[in-house]
């Protein structure tokens, strides 16, 4: 399909051979690239994840809606009131 549509404003040239298999290969390559990037810089991603969660908890302690923290050894976390 090389016709111009509202969802395809710049269609590929008619000379380009495209198919679902090529699209799958591109998506697979993108996924492999993303997984490699995360694996290569895992410390950075882990630190960013930790900092974002720490800031969210700190923000919840300061103002509404308040964050609820459960003790580390708690067994019945769902039954404890949020304080």
């Amino acid at each position: 399909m090389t016709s111009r549509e509202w969802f395809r404003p710049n269609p590929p040239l008619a000379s380009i051979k495209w198919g679902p298999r090529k699209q799958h290969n591109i998506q697979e390559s993108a996924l492999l690239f993303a997984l490699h990037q995360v694996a290569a810089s895992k410390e950075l991603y882990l630190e960013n994840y930790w900092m974002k969660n720490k800031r969210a908890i700190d923000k919840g302690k300061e103002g509404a809606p308040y964050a609820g923290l459960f003790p580390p050894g708690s067994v019945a976390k769902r039954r404890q009131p949020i304080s």
Side-chain angles (χ1 to χ4, degrees), residues 10-11 17 19-20 25 29 33 36 39 42 52 63 69 71 77:
N10 296 317
K17 302 293 184 202
N25 290 341
S29 296
F33 176 77
H36 180 267
K42 57 185 170 268
K52 287 177 184 178
L69 300 176
K77 292 181 181 180

Side-chain angles (χ1 to χ4, degrees), residues 12-82:
L13 299 173
S15 61
I16 296 176
K17 302 293 184 202
W18 181 90
R21 183 173 179 157
K22 289 187 182 188
Q23 178 66 22
H24 175 73
N25 290 341
I26 291 171
Q27 291 173 348
E28 182 180 0
S29 296
L31 179 63
L32 291 173
F33 176 77
L35 289 173
H36 180 267
Q37 285 296 108
V38 172
S41 51
K42 57 185 170 268
E43 291 85 12
L44 176 67
Y45 282 94
L46 185 61
E47 182 180 357
N48 286 342
Y49 178 76
W50 185 83
M51 288 299 295
K52 287 177 184 178
N53 284 306
K54 183 179 182 305
R55 281 192 294 253
I57 290 172
D58 291 342
K59 185 178 178 183
K61 287 179 181 177
E62 294 171 3
Y66 297 101
L69 300 176
F70 298 111
S74 175
V75 177
K77 292 181 181 180
R78 291 180 293 195
R79 292 183 288 191
Q80 292 184 359
I82 296 176

